[in-house]
Amino acid sequence: MTKRTLKLPWLLVGSLITNTGISFIWPLTTIYMHEYLHEPLTTSGIVLFLNSLATMVGNAVGGRLFDRWRPYPTMLVGIGIDVVTTGALVIWHGWPAYPLLLVGLGFGNGIVATGINAYATKVSTKKTSYVFNVLYFMANLGLVIGTLIVGFVLPLGITYVFGLAFALFVIFFFVALRHFNLPQPPHAAGHAPKQVATRNPYRLNVALILLTLFLTWVTYEQWQSNISTFMLQLGMTVRDYSFLWTFNAVLIVILQPVLTAFDDWLLAHIRLRLGVGFTLFAGSFLLLLVARHYAVFVLAMGILTCGEVLALPAVLTYVDLYSPTGQQGRYQGYVQMFASAGRAVGPLIGALIIEATSYRVLFISLVAVLAVAVATFSWYASQAQLRH
């Protein structure tokens, strides 16, 4: 039976399930390939890079199918790929099956991630900005739950980890099958009508915010990769580094509901929200320039997390506000693609700069590039608003 509207709780359940399922797998990639499959770290890096590329392709394909085909079967195809690949991982998780299936999972997850954000624009009971805020909270909650469970399940064997991920995606498939079937516009039975060739006055705004998002993820990835070695060089431990991400997760869980309560004000001042959020990202690296004690790293992570909860959900809202009618899926796909691209190249860019120069040069470079991007976007967006 076709639903009249998508109820927000089911979309949130879908986001929670898929992020929990993915967090069973991707954090283990380097450890599993190096310690269990005895592959070099460079091979793990290549596999993660290919996984990110496959995710980007999935983002693009999912956005196009969402707009030009139909949202409902697009989501089912994406989740179905996740079900098949994780189910296969339960049986085949050696070499080279593991990396091949991981790339396939990245493609399916790319479709699903874009689909969830595109479906968020279809929720009629809440403002889109509110939906994106809550979705971001649920996604992070799923990551926290998943990584916590993995710590207990992995000692039982990697098969159980993949089995849990498979079970979660099967549950998500049936949730989507039952609750994601929305009524389609008249053209849905055939091909989508051609878009009228009119110039979108906000096209450059969207391009600039996507470029800023890409640079932000390049910056963020340094925390997830190269900063760990920086801390170890200063005499800190892996446990110290791991606690930073626990702190990050706790802050997100605390701050995101607070921001959601002020959603109307934040939506009215979305450019300010974006500018402050991205500036806080850069500010965390200014602190790292003088970081020699653990407390400074904790403070820097706190600043980074505040920037994260301000900026990242707001990018989705901003792009939706300036997406042409009927192209929401395509534009949400762009958001996911630029984020995936930043995640893919971030660790490599950081490592190359560190090897050629130093951590200090890396931090200064990231602050400078991100500051220029934020200033350019903020200035042009304000001018475009004045003109239109």
Side-chain angles (χ1 to χ4, degrees):
M1 179 179 175
T2 300
K3 299 289 180 184
R4 288 185 174 274
T5 183
L6 176 63
K7 293 182 178 179
L8 179 57
W10 291 114
L11 186 63
L12 299 181
V13 166
S15 178
L16 179 66
I17 290 174
T18 192
N19 282 283
T20 302
I22 287 296
S23 66
F24 284 155
I25 296 174
W26 69 260
L28 295 176
T29 299
T30 299
I31 295 173
Y32 181 66
M33 289 188 63
H34 188 60
E35 300 295 332
Y36 291 77
L37 300 182
H38 307 294
E39 295 294 329
L41 290 175
T42 52
T43 303
S44 301
I46 292 171
V47 170
L48 286 171
F49 178 72
L50 292 175
N51 174 264
S52 295
L53 287 181
T55 301
M56 290 174 61
V57 175
N59 296 147
V61 171
R64 285 301 184 121
L65 291 178
F66 192 94
D67 293 332
R68 302 186 66 83
W69 186 33
R70 288 181 296 169
Y72 181 57
T74 297
M75 280 296 292
L76 294 183
V77 166
I79 303 169
I81 293 172
D82 289 347
V83 169
V84 171
T85 51
T86 51
L89 280 170
V90 175
I91 304 170
W92 302 290
H93 42 262
W95 184 269
Y98 177 75
L100 292 175
L101 290 171
L102 197 68
V103 170
L105 180 63
F107 177 72
N109 190 54
I111 296 175
V112 172
T114 295
I116 287 175
N117 286 332
Y119 261 107
T121 68
K122 306 293 185 184
V123 176
S124 59
T125 55
K126 296 286 185 180
K127 290 182 179 179
T128 304
S129 56
Y130 175 89
V131 177
F132 282 133
N133 283 336
V134 183
L135 273 178
Y136 192 75
F137 172 82
M138 296 301 289
N140 281 279
L141 182 61
L143 294 177
V144 172
I145 293 173
T147 52
L148 179 64
I149 292 175
V150 163
F152 293 98
V153 176
L154 184 59
L156 302 176
I158 195 71
T159 302
Y160 289 96
V161 175
F162 296 143
L164 276 176
F166 169 72
L168 283 174
F169 286 124
V170 168
I171 293 171
F172 186 22
F173 184 86
F174 284 106
V175 168
L177 189 69
R178 177 69 177 85
H179 298 283
F180 280 49
N181 192 9
L182 303 181
Q184 301 301 310
H187 63 74
H191 296 288
K194 294 182 178 179
Q195 297 294 325
V196 179
T198 57
R199 181 175 176 81
N200 179 1
Y202 300 106
R203 182 167 48 189
L204 187 54
N205 296 48
V206 174
L208 289 173
I209 197 63
L210 290 176
L211 176 61
T212 305
L213 178 67
F214 167 76
L215 294 172
T216 299
W217 271 106
V218 170
T219 302
Y220 200 163
E221 281 301 306
Q222 307 314 310
W223 279 93
Q224 298 192 12
S225 56
N226 297 308
I227 287 177
S228 60
T229 57
F230 180 58
M231 293 176 65
L232 292 177
Q233 286 182 13
L234 294 175
M236 298 170 204
T237 65
V238 174
R239 179 175 294 182
D240 292 332
Y241 173 72
S242 298
F243 174 77
L244 289 179
W245 291 108
T246 303
F247 179 53
N248 169 269
V250 170
L251 269 186
I252 290 174
V253 170
I254 293 172
L255 293 175
Q256 199 66 53
V258 175
L259 293 182
T260 302
F262 293 92
D263 180 65
D264 290 341
W265 189 91
L266 291 170
L267 179 60
H269 301 83
I270 191 166
R271 283 191 297 109
L272 175 63
R273 175 180 179 175
L274 287 165
V276 171
F278 288 130
T279 300
L280 289 173
F281 264 97
S284 69
F285 283 87
L286 286 177
L287 271 181
L288 292 182
L289 287 170
V290 297
R292 294 297 179 269
H293 303 286
Y294 186 61
V296 181
F297 283 92
V298 175
L299 178 59
M301 175 56 84
I303 293 173
L304 179 87
T305 306
C306 290
E308 178 182 353
V309 296
L310 279 170
L312 296 186
V315 172
L316 297 165
T317 301
Y318 188 87
V319 170
D320 178 62
L321 288 173
Y322 298 112
S323 298
T325 301
Q327 297 186 42
Q328 287 85 357
R330 177 184 178 184
Y331 275 72
Q332 291 302 320
Y334 288 155
V335 175
Q336 298 300 317
M337 285 175 63
F338 276 77
S340 296
R343 287 193 289 265
V345 304
L348 177 61
I349 290 175
L352 291 174
I353 294 176
I354 293 166
E355 289 180 1
T357 56
S358 66
Y359 283 98
R360 182 177 181 83
V361 172
L362 171 65
F363 299 155
I364 293 174
S365 300
L366 292 173
V367 170
V369 170
L370 195 52
V372 170
V374 173
T376 303
F377 162 73
S378 298
W379 178 83
Y380 188 85
S382 63
Q383 295 302 307
Q385 189 172 31
L386 289 175
R387 289 194 298 269
H388 300 282

